[in-house]
Amino acid sequence: MEGEKGMTLLEKNLVHIKDFTVDEINDIITLAQDIIKCPDDYSHICDGIILGALFFEPSTRTRLSFESAIRRLGGTSIGFTEAKSSSTAKGESLADTIRTVSQYTDIIAMRHPQEGAAMVAGLASDVPFINAGDGGHQHPTQTLTDLLTIMETKGRLEGLTIGLCGDLKFGRTVHSLLRMLMQYPNNRFVLISPEELVVPDYIEVMLKQNKVDYKTEERLENVIDELDVLYMTRVQKERFFNEADYERLKDSYILDMPKLDQAKDDLAILHPLPRVNEIHVSVDDDPRAKYFDQVGYGVRVRMALILKMLGVK
């Protein structure tokens, strides 16, 4: 099968965001935008296609997003929502589970708590495989969602000043998004976090090696007026070495209306969700808040990804 719009990703797996080239990612985004504009054109394009949705840990947005995506394309999904519902609870290896599910399905999406599990599953699968998150390692479809959201709200993926705020050390979505956006020209990054939660050394090395324009900042209010995009993440109290530092800095990472008053009128606010208290609910009604739109874009970009990986016309 060969896709009508752009290149096909048939016979490729998505384990890590770097498994796809920038051109391939741009092609997915372009197709997702067409799905947004003409949804009826895609409502039966996957009739008869079965998605295996294998979720070895709880998930709301990602699982329902994949299930919504395949059903909006006319297909169906089978799978499970927790490890104890699968034969791995009886001692079956992950590889054997994947080989089995490959016989029932046309494509597989898997969430697993163990880092590296997606690599094992991808190698074992006889059908296209999508990593829907493996521990704290990778979550590539969230990155695709973020890129589509920025494209839809800003109209471009280049020439932007992007602020990433909160837990930049452990946030897998931040690392993947940085890796992708640095490949688009003239993007500038503002890394906003407490000292305890700055980006890992390997990310900083990558930024420097690629001569990326970036700076670090401890307080959001000091730089919010510079930003075109603000990507918020949760700062967890348990990440701090002592409670005094947390109490001193915690309000710096809560986006509220007084901080937003300093921001550009066309700022786009993103968040991978779920949030706790890092975005005050009063911000939800501001037109610059895009994080619930982001959830909807996640369905459309997963629809496009499924079509590309299956090579469906």
Side-chain angles (χ1 to χ4, degrees), residues 15 94 98 110 112-122 129 134 137:
V15 173
L94 176 61
I98 296 297
M110 185 189 80
H112 198 284
Q114 185 176 347
E115 296 181 11
M119 180 64 72
V120 173
F129 173 83
D134 60 330
H137 189 217

Side-chain angles (χ1 to χ4, degrees), residues 5 7 9 14 20-35 144 148 300-306 308-309:
K5 295 179 181 295
M7 66 187 72
L9 296 174
L14 178 58
F20 290 173
T21 67
V22 172
D23 285 343
E24 287 171 335
I25 287 172
N26 288 341
D27 212 46
I28 293 168
I29 292 171
T30 298
L31 179 56
Q33 290 182 297
D34 195 64
I35 291 170
L144 292 174
L148 176 60
R300 275 68 189 181
V301 85
R302 290 179 174 97
M303 291 169 70
L305 177 64
I306 289 168
K308 288 294 181 184
M309 293 185 71

Side-chain angles (χ1 to χ4, degrees), residues 50-54 67 70-71 76-80 101 104-105 107 109:
I50 300 174
L51 166 75
L54 311 184
E67 292 185 3
I70 193 63
R71 293 183 187 188
T76 57
S77 65
I78 60 174
F80 47 81
V101 175
Y104 305 144
T105 61
I107 187 168

Side-chain angles (χ1 to χ4, degrees), residues 43-99:
S43 58
H44 292 286
I45 202 167
C46 279
D47 285 357
I49 296 293
I50 300 174
L51 166 75
L54 311 184
F55 281 74
F56 289 86
E57 66 177 354
S59 170
T60 301
R61 276 158 295 279
T62 305
R63 179 176 64 84
L64 294 180
S65 183
F66 270 108
E67 292 185 3
S68 177
I70 193 63
R71 293 183 187 188
R72 288 175 185 272
L73 292 168
T76 57
S77 65
I78 60 174
F80 47 81
T81 59
E82 53 186 352
K84 66 182 181 181
S85 300
S86 76
S87 289
T88 57
K90 303 176 184 178
E92 182 177 60
S93 70
L94 176 61
D96 281 1
T97 297
I98 296 297
R99 289 189 187 101

Side-chain angles (χ1 to χ4, degrees), residues 35-267:
I35 291 170
I36 291 169
K37 292 175 185 175
C38 309
D40 291 345
D41 291 351
Y42 297 87
S43 58
H44 292 286
I45 202 167
C46 279
D47 285 357
I49 296 293
I50 300 174
L51 166 75
L54 311 184
F55 281 74
F56 289 86
E57 66 177 354
S59 170
T60 301
R61 276 158 295 279
T62 305
R63 179 176 64 84
L64 294 180
S65 183
F66 270 108
E67 292 185 3
S68 177
I70 193 63
R71 293 183 187 188
R72 288 175 185 272
L73 292 168
T76 57
S77 65
I78 60 174
F80 47 81
T81 59
E82 53 186 352
K84 66 182 181 181
S85 300
S86 76
S87 289
T88 57
K90 303 176 184 178
E92 182 177 60
S93 70
L94 176 61
D96 281 1
T97 297
I98 296 297
R99 289 189 187 101
T100 300
V101 175
S102 295
Q103 304 307 309
Y104 305 144
T105 61
D106 301 288
I107 187 168
I108 293 173
M110 185 189 80
R111 164 70 65 85
H112 198 284
Q114 185 176 347
E115 296 181 11
M119 180 64 72
V120 173
L123 291 172
S125 182
D126 294 323
V127 298
F129 173 83
I130 301 169
N131 179 8
D134 60 330
H137 189 217
Q138 289 293 320
H139 195 357
T141 61
Q142 180 63 53
T143 304
L144 292 174
T145 298
D146 299 338
L147 293 174
L148 176 60
T149 305
I150 294 171
M151 178 62 84
E152 283 291 293
T153 56
K154 303 303 295 184
R156 66 190 193 279
L157 292 173
E158 58 187 50
L160 297 167
T161 298
I162 303 129
L164 299 113
C165 178
D167 184 351
L168 307 189
K169 183 174 183 179
F170 299 99
R172 63 188 177 186
T173 60
V174 168
H175 303 164
S176 295
L177 187 59
L178 265 171
R179 182 185 293 274
M180 283 312 306
L181 284 175
M182 63 179 277
Q183 298 184 63
Y184 293 87
N186 303 317
N187 281 335
R188 173 175 173 263
F189 300 94
V190 184
L191 308 179
I192 308 154
S193 72
E195 184 178 354
E196 293 86 349
L197 297 176
V198 297
V199 294
D201 290 343
Y202 83 92
I203 294 288
E204 192 157 11
V205 168
M206 180 180 67
L207 293 171
K208 289 178 179 177
Q209 286 179 342
N210 288 275
K211 299 181 180 178
V212 175
D213 185 0
Y214 78 98
K215 70 175 182 179
T216 60
E217 174 58 54
E218 196 170 81
R219 292 186 175 274
L220 173 59
E221 56 267 35
N222 291 348
V223 292
I224 193 169
D225 61 326
E226 305 174 25
L227 306 179
D228 299 306
V229 176
L230 173 58
Y231 195 88
M232 294 293 296
T233 64
R234 181 166 64 100
V235 172
Q236 301 172 65
K237 185 176 182 180
E238 59 268 27
R239 300 296 193 191
F240 282 80
F241 293 127
N242 62 74
E243 188 169 349
D245 283 344
Y246 174 76
E247 291 297 328
R248 176 174 59 86
L249 290 169
K250 65 178 182 179
D251 290 342
S252 296
Y253 309 105
I254 297 175
L255 180 63
D256 53 21
M257 290 309 298
K259 289 190 184 74
L260 202 51
D261 286 343
Q262 306 171 47
K264 294 179 180 180
D265 292 339
D266 62 348
L267 173 69

